[in-house]
Amino acid sequence: MAAALETPKLCLQKVATEAEGVVLCGAGCEDVVGGLPEARCVLRGATEEETLRLVQNARFVRNVAVVAHVDAGKSTLSDVLLKQSGLVSETASCALDSLEEEKARGITIKAAAVTLGYRGMLLPDNSCVINLIDCPGHVDFSSEVTASLRVADGAFAVVDAVEGMQVQTEAVVKLCLTQKVVPALVFNKIDRLILQLQLPSEEIYQRLSQTEDSLSRLCGECRIEGFESTCREQLGRGVAPNAQEGTVVFASGLQGWGFTLDTFARLWSEKVGTSAETLRKKMWGDCFYSLRSKRFTSSGVAEDGAVHQRGFCKLILEPILKIKDVCAEVVAVGAGEEGVDVTRLGAVIGTLWAHDAVEAGCAAARAAVKQEEGAGSSLGNAVFHAVLRSLLPAARSLVEVASRRLPSAKVAQAYRADVLVGSDDNDDELGYDSDGYDDLKEMRAAVAACDANGPLVAYVTKMVPVNKTWGFHAFGRVFSGTVAGGKEVVVVETGTRTRVQATVMLMGAKEQRVALACAGCPAAFAGISDSLVKCGTLCDAAVSEKKKKKTTKQKSRSRGMLEVQHQLTPVVQAAVECAQSSDRLHLTKAMKWVAQSDPLVQCFMNSSSGEAVVAAGGELHLEVTLNTLKKRMNGPPSSTDCGGGNSNRALRVSEAAVAYRETVTVHCEGSCLAKSSNKHNRIYASASPMDDELVAAIERREVTTPAQAAAYGLKNVWCLSLQEAGANVLVNNTCGVALINEIRTHVVNAFKQAMTHGPVCHEPCRGIRIDITDAVVHSDPAHRGPAEICPAARRAMAAAVLSSSPALYEPLLQCSVATSAACAGTVRSALPKRRGAVVDESYSASGDAVVITGHLPVQASFGITQQLRSASSGRSTFHGVFSHWAVLPPHLFSEAAAATSARKKLSPLPSAEQLIDKL
């Protein structure tokens, strides 16, 4: 019989000053529930009345997004929290995945929000509300993640303990940091390391530690000035998750058990009489326990060569492994006349847990044996999971980290205001104004204060379909003030007035109407979707009256909070048409609905060919969107998402195609002339490629004004950074031309049209600088109107592009293929055959698995997932995320341009000479 778990008899208060290399926690860690016995750290779900009362105080609110790589198990972790709050049954699985498409594919497609209330002495002020947002893990649906992070203040970054850091994990953590969303790390599927791989305790630690180090390096690379010090001051932790700071959870979401270092620190504190905070520091990093001296040391090897056991292995993994072994013994002995003998199990549990926990663990073991009778060899594992579920409930650790290590809405908005509202330093140059506010400083101050009695500032981040109707709830967050049913609001970006019919709290697929939504809380607003397309800022209609009373000259545009910038670009598209022409009206209505329901999807009619086009972020995203479009052709969404009405309406869908970007590769020799139709005006234009650094800076929104562009040698900029067409620049390079500023607006409009529909194949342009080199402008305004100037300017710009060796940009993926070492050669050969390139290879510690990273054109990625799975007998997993644009090889340019033009039913490409007018 194995020896009972030995309790370390040590004086850690003294050793803490003697040990070397011990990483101390930051300021604020004194709020650890160290003096509270673990037995009293109970957690229960709050009642509906308690939850509704708590959400009105931003101090109790935690807005948390659950982000991860696909199949990391974040939906099962969300289930753990839902079960603890009593919203779903104990047998529920992926409760927030409500769409039929999600259930069929086994992945999350739409982000789902739910409000969970908790009470318990473990929590600050004994109360907490978690507004949880379960986000998709597949890269094609990362626009849902981006939209959700605008609403969240903290995030659970879920990592598969076996797979470690993966491509999408890094991508979503970077998104969190850019939005100043503080991450906490959750190691999921940790039971696989123990039961499936049966790794030694030291190897388990090394795997987990390496992943934590990778995440820390990533946070260091994405460092935002002042964010680290803010987190230290406000939260008592750094930006990067750190186990010693209590910001790492070790869990098995599917089995429902988990813990943090604080969990075991409290347990051992009761045994050895040392503070839990001091013990926690010994449970991670290079801190080893000496069996001979019964003390901790910073060295893993003694002077006589004896190997010391690491603190994490001794104080945490050893008790868990002891329980595993005893559960196996209980099953091996079998049940007697009085049932299974759990005496030995109780003795092992009792070495660390209190009497009540011992009884609960033994009862769980008996129930598991009875319930899983006939399970065979897996019975021991089932008993092990049942015991740990009773001793180490995962929900308790997750809620503790969310409430104590992630910021409240009140705290977070104070330091997030600058990334939410932005700077007003350059708004005068851009012609922006904040509708209803004297300047953006007032809006920023309101967001930072997070005051329910302050002026209304709310942001709508996405649209949520309303069951059995064509309408939407506008989902977002109230950052200041309150919103109640009947309140009149203004959409800042458009100045549209509308009235909120009701405020709704989303509970997964269900909804609950509430009297009002207060500052700091996510909410959905009914009745305003017609005034918004996808997103927008809301302010109080009474406040916006101030704008009408201004005596100064009104500015041309209004801007609210910064618009959400998505990680993906809708580069994969397909043309659709009705099988019957009489259904065209239904198609138009369905396309409008689909475009509004997804933060990224674009649906539009091609003006030249008349075809309807649906554009999405990836192959899977497009497939799901087209399936949704087909259902909406037959009616609005129903509770089963199967549509209604006439089921005979059908669509014809073309093959998926890639969206290109037109560009130029050389400077245009001379200028291209175009005359107005009345021959009284002349426009001279030239084209040249932009500097790559400037293009990247514009796309990152680092250069947004002519003053900032001057650092790159640009002067007299008329138009900069078109959102619909990428980074292009219009420069006035004329000298002494009379009345040139009188036609500036018309030339800018022509530039926007020319860059949105390029001359090669009507694709948007990117990286093109257009110079207006000379002009002749008629003195009579009647002869220089938009009907004369716009067509001539656009024709001159098109001729300049065609005279500068036009080319096409194609989108490239950063791909990652996880496969076995035996199949690595198949992957290496597959990428180059598709015009891809292998960049790096990383092997696992055992050498039997490899992750191959590289770049692959989106056009060549169609079907590669199935190809790799077939070639490797299902042992390869492909994952790709948009990386950058690259110039299409010259030998493929003509073919791609011709195919795109044919798909759009365009006339043959004209030559520059055909567009240039002669003197």
Side-chain angles (χ1 to χ4, degrees):
M1 186 174 294
L5 180 65
E6 179 185 7
T7 301
K9 299 176 181 179
L10 58 152
C11 180
L12 286 176
Q13 297 287 3
K14 179 180 179 181
V15 177
T17 61
E18 297 176 349
E20 299 176 355
V22 177
V23 180
L24 301 180
C25 295
C29 288
E30 60 273 12
D31 66 345
V32 178
V33 195
L36 186 65
E38 178 69 14
R40 296 181 62 190
C41 293
V42 294
L43 187 72
R44 68 173 178 84
T47 63
E48 181 178 320
E49 293 76 14
E50 290 174 332
T51 301
L52 293 177
R53 186 172 64 254
L54 289 173
V55 296
Q56 298 181 23
N57 189 335
R59 187 165 55 90
F60 295 105
V61 175
R62 304 294 186 273
N63 300 311
V64 183
V66 187
V67 297
H69 187 89
V70 66
D71 293 333
K74 54 183 178 45
S75 294
T76 56
L77 280 172
S78 301
D79 289 340
V80 168
L81 293 172
L82 267 67
K83 293 173 184 177
Q84 177 67 37
S85 65
L87 291 181
V88 298
S89 66
E90 290 296 326
T91 58
S93 176
C94 297
L96 295 179
D97 292 344
S98 57
L99 300 179
E100 278 190 352
E101 195 97 29
E102 293 177 319
K103 296 175 182 178
R105 296 179 181 273
I107 60 174
T108 302
I109 294 175
K110 293 291 184 181
V114 63
T115 298
L116 309 171
Y118 298 98
R119 301 296 298 271
M121 297 180 67
L122 184 69
L123 308 174
D125 300 314
N126 299 332
S127 303
C128 177
V129 170
I130 298 179
N131 293 307
L132 193 73
I133 307 175
D134 183 24
C135 301
H138 196 285
V139 63
D140 280 12
F141 309 105
S142 60
S143 58
E144 291 280 337
V145 181
T146 310
S148 300
L149 290 179
R150 173 56 63 92
V151 176
D153 300 313
F156 284 140
V158 183
V159 175
D160 189 321
V162 177
E163 302 294 338
M165 288 287 289
Q166 295 173 286
V167 175
Q168 185 63 3
T169 311
E170 297 180 359
V172 295
V173 170
K174 287 180 181 178
L175 285 175
C176 290
L177 297 177
T178 57
Q179 292 292 311
K180 287 191 176 181
V181 174
V182 182
L185 175 60
V186 181
F187 284 111
N188 195 23
K189 305 182 185 180
I190 197 170
D191 56 308
R192 292 183 60 196
L193 300 177
I194 299 172
L195 300 176
Q196 181 179 336
L197 302 181
Q198 298 182 354
L199 299 178
S201 58
E202 178 63 22
E203 188 171 343
I204 291 176
Y205 170 82
Q206 291 296 340
R207 283 203 177 199
L208 301 178
S209 178
Q210 289 172 6
T211 301
E212 186 201 56
D213 291 343
S214 298
L215 189 57
S216 296
R217 286 193 297 272
L218 180 64
C219 293
E221 295 170 357
C222 303
R223 182 173 300 169
I224 299 177
E225 184 178 358
F227 192 26
E228 178 72 21
S229 59
T230 300
C231 288
R232 291 288 177 191
E233 295 170 5
Q234 301 292 332
L235 308 176
R237 54 160 291 180
V239 174
N242 189 320
Q244 288 186 323
E245 295 179 355
T247 54
V248 177
V249 181
F250 308 86
S252 171
L254 183 61
Q255 305 302 334
W257 59 267
F259 58 89
T260 64
L261 298 192
D262 285 327
T263 307
F264 279 89
R266 288 190 292 265
L267 290 169
W268 282 110
S269 178
E270 298 173 38
K271 293 294 181 181
V272 301
T274 306
S275 72
E277 182 180 352
T278 304
L279 277 167
R280 184 183 62 193
K281 299 172 185 177
K282 304 298 180 184
M283 292 180 171
W284 195 258
D286 293 332
C287 197
F288 303 86
Y289 181 68
S290 172
L291 292 174
R292 179 173 300 175
S293 64
K294 301 294 189 283
R295 292 178 180 272
F296 280 103
T297 176
S298 59
S299 175
V301 182
E303 294 180 357
D304 59 359
V307 178
H308 296 157
Q309 196 171 10
R310 194 181 295 273
F312 180 77
C313 302
K314 176 65 180 177
L315 301 181
I316 296 180
L317 290 183
E318 185 173 310
I320 293 176
L321 295 176
K322 287 284 185 182
I323 293 174
K324 177 183 77 76
D325 294 339
V326 174
C327 288
E329 292 178 10
V330 169
V331 172
V333 172
E337 295 180 358
E338 300 180 358
V340 294
D341 184 6
V342 293
T343 305
R344 171 65 181 144
L345 177 62
V348 171
I349 297 175
T351 58
L352 190 55
W353 279 268
H355 178 69
D356 291 344
V358 173
E359 291 186 347
C362 293
R366 294 191 190 97
V369 171
K370 184 176 180 180
Q371 182 178 357
E372 302 290 338
E373 189 174 359
S377 59
S378 63
L379 180 58
N381 294 346
V383 174
F384 170 66
H385 291 310
V387 172
L388 288 191
R389 213 164 21 242
S390 67
L391 301 177
L392 303 170
R396 187 172 65 185
S397 296
L398 292 169
V399 173
E400 179 184 1
V401 170
S403 62
R404 293 189 171 273
R405 305 302 177 194
L406 297 180
S408 67
K410 182 79 172 178
V411 171
Q413 286 188 201
Y415 61 78
R416 292 189 68 208
D418 59 337
V419 298
L420 295 172
V421 180
S423 170
D424 61 347
D425 295 339
N426 301 313
D427 283 339
D428 288 337
E429 296 183 37
L430 291 173
Y432 279 131
D433 185 27
S434 52
D435 191 4
Y437 296 92
D438 292 333
D439 53 37
L440 288 175
K441 292 180 180 178
E442 185 179 342
M443 180 184 291
R444 190 182 303 105
V447 171
C450 190
D451 185 3
N453 297 318
L456 173 62
V457 180
Y459 188 80
V460 174
T461 187
K462 59 177 286 189
M463 297 293 172
V464 179
V466 179
N467 192 29
K468 296 182 180 180
T469 72
W470 287 103
F472 295 91
H473 288 328
F475 176 72
R477 172 170 168 173
V478 181
F479 289 94
S480 177
T482 58
V483 179
K487 187 178 185 68
E488 188 177 12
V489 298
V490 171
V491 181
V492 174
E493 289 79 4
T494 62
T496 306
R497 287 174 171 268
T498 185
R499 190 175 298 275
V500 177
Q501 294 180 359
T503 53
V504 177
M505 181 186 296
L506 296 183
M507 306 294 288
K510 302 179 181 178
E511 59 184 53
Q512 178 179 347
R513 295 206 170 192
V514 293
L516 53 83
C518 297
C521 283
F525 313 116
I528 66 172
S529 60
D530 290 342
S531 302
L532 294 159
V533 178
K534 292 179 183 286
C535 57
T537 309
L538 306 179
C539 77
D540 199 318
V543 176
S544 71
E545 288 292 336
K546 295 193 307 179
K547 187 177 178 78
K548 294 182 179 180
K549 298 178 181 179
K550 289 180 180 179
T551 59
T552 58
K553 183 180 179 180
Q554 296 298 305
K555 297 180 182 179
S556 60
R557 292 176 289 174
S558 297
R559 123 156 148 73
M561 301 180 70
L562 291 179
E563 186 178 350
V564 173
Q565 299 297 327
H566 292 292
Q567 177 190 17
L568 292 182
T569 302
V571 295
V572 181
Q573 58 189 31
V576 296
E577 61 177 343
C578 303
Q580 299 179 4
S581 58
S582 58
D583 294 334
R584 192 171 182 83
L585 181 62
H586 297 283
L587 173 61
T588 303
K589 188 175 184 178
M591 287 178 64
K592 180 181 178 182
W593 187 94
V594 168
Q596 194 169 8
S597 68
D598 191 285
L600 186 67
V601 167
Q602 295 179 358
C603 297
F604 54 91
M605 302 296 293
N606 189 308
S607 57
S608 57
S609 65
E611 64 178 359
V613 179
V614 179
E619 189 178 8
L620 179 60
H621 191 196
L622 179 63
E623 181 181 345
V624 170
T625 301
L626 291 174
N627 289 341
T628 304
L629 180 64
K630 293 174 182 177
K631 294 175 181 178
R632 294 297 78 80
M633 282 282 290
N634 299 314
S638 65
S639 57
T640 58
D641 194 37
C642 60
N646 186 358
S647 59
N648 294 325
R649 298 188 186 119
L651 279 179
R652 288 194 291 264
V653 181
S654 68
E655 293 185 0
V658 172
Y660 295 102
R661 296 289 183 267
E662 298 185 22
T663 190
V664 296
T665 57
V666 300
H667 186 279
C668 175
E669 295 183 4
S671 298
C672 299
L673 165 65
K675 299 178 182 179
S676 61
S677 58
N678 60 12
K679 310 301 181 183
H680 294 321
N681 303 278
R682 300 173 186 173
I683 304 294
Y684 294 84
S686 67
S688 59
M690 292 172 58
D691 182 71
D692 291 339
E693 293 184 3
L694 176 58
V695 173
I698 293 175
E699 292 178 338
R700 292 194 301 265
R701 301 300 189 266
E702 294 174 1
V703 174
T704 57
T705 67
Q708 293 171 331
Y712 293 85
L714 290 180
K715 297 180 180 180
N716 298 326
V717 174
W718 271 7
C719 189
L720 176 68
S721 186
L722 291 175
Q723 292 183 354
E724 64 270 23
N728 302 287
V729 175
L730 174 64
V731 178
N732 173 21
N733 205 18
T734 62
C735 182
V737 176
L739 303 175
I740 185 65
N741 286 323
E742 298 298 322
I743 64 170
R744 174 173 176 170
T745 301
H746 307 325
V747 175
V748 168
N749 289 335
F751 172 72
K752 293 179 180 180
Q753 297 171 10
M755 297 297 101
T756 303
H757 301 286
V760 176
C761 51
H762 280 209
E763 291 287 88
C765 298
R766 177 182 183 270
I768 298 179
R769 168 178 170 167
I770 297 292
D771 286 86
I772 303 300
T773 58
D774 198 1
V776 175
V777 184
H778 198 280
S779 59
D780 187 352
H783 294 292
R784 61 169 189 261
E788 302 294 335
I789 300 299
C790 286
R794 184 174 179 180
R795 194 167 69 255
M797 295 174 192
V801 170
L802 294 176
S803 301
S804 303
S805 296
L808 292 178
Y809 276 118
E810 67 172 344
L812 261 67
L813 299 175
Q814 179 186 350
C815 58
S816 171
V817 183
T819 186
S820 62
C823 300
T826 303
V827 177
R828 290 193 204 98
S829 61
L831 292 181
K833 291 178 180 178
R834 291 174 173 259
R835 297 194 292 117
V838 176
V839 175
D840 189 25
E841 296 182 18
S842 58
Y843 285 82
S844 62
S846 60
D848 57 353
V850 61
V851 176
I852 299 175
T853 58
H855 291 116
L856 185 68
V858 173
Q859 179 68 55
S861 68
F862 298 151
I864 192 173
T865 300
Q866 292 76 9
Q867 177 191 347
L868 292 178
R869 286 179 178 173
S870 300
S872 61
S873 302
R875 288 175 289 181
S876 295
T877 303
F878 178 85
H879 183 83
V881 58
F882 173 75
S883 174
H884 63 280
W885 295 93
V887 176
L888 191 70
H891 67 279
L892 298 176
F893 167 73
S894 299
E895 180 183 351
T900 305
S901 298
R903 176 168 52 84
K904 295 181 178 183
K905 301 177 182 178
L906 301 175
S907 57
L909 177 66
S911 64
E913 289 73 15
Q914 293 176 299
L915 300 176
I916 298 175
D917 289 329
K918 304 296 183 182
L919 287 175

